[in-house]
Amino acid sequence: QIYEMLCGKTPTPVSWNERIEVMKNHFALHIEQYGVRGVPTFRKHVSWYLRGIAGAKKYIERLHTALTVEEVNNVLDEMKNKI
């Protein structure tokens, strides 16, 4: 996308599944660094990843209340191909 913008082109939008994969990878790295206490601290990132996406509100609410790594991963997996 950066290259496309530098060339004066309209950047190719990121697909929904690509966005979810990036979130999952970011979450895994976050947990690797912070351990299970990283679950609540990751919530702020969820809002940025899903900001402005129609139909994402119910997932944002579930991710903001998730208490375990498994819960977050389950919601992220469920989100694939849903929006």
Side-chain angles (χ1 to χ4, degrees):
Q1 288 178 327
I2 293 171
Y3 178 74
E4 291 170 331
M5 289 187 73
L6 290 172
C7 292
K9 299 177 183 176
T10 303
T12 306
V14 176
S15 76
W16 177 248
N17 284 337
E18 287 174 313
R19 187 180 299 243
I20 300 303
E21 285 303 314
V22 169
M23 284 179 69
K24 288 182 73 167
N25 186 43
H26 184 181
F27 180 62
L29 293 170
H30 196 79
I31 294 303
E32 185 179 309
Q33 174 138 4
Y34 297 105
V36 293
R37 66 188 172 99
V39 172
T41 62
F42 190 73
R43 293 174 184 160
K44 63 184 171 192
H45 302 291
V46 167
S47 298
W48 283 104
Y49 279 113
L50 302 178
R51 183 176 172 198
I53 305 293
K57 184 177 180 180
K58 66 180 179 179
Y59 296 112
I60 292 170
E61 290 171 356
R62 289 177 56 201
L63 289 166
H64 279 189
T65 58
L67 301 174
T68 66
V69 171
E70 292 78 23
E71 273 185 273
V72 172
N73 283 323
N74 288 341
V75 174
L76 292 174
D77 287 338
E78 185 182 320
M79 289 169 63
K80 284 187 175 183
N81 301 314
K82 292 285 185 173
I83 296 181

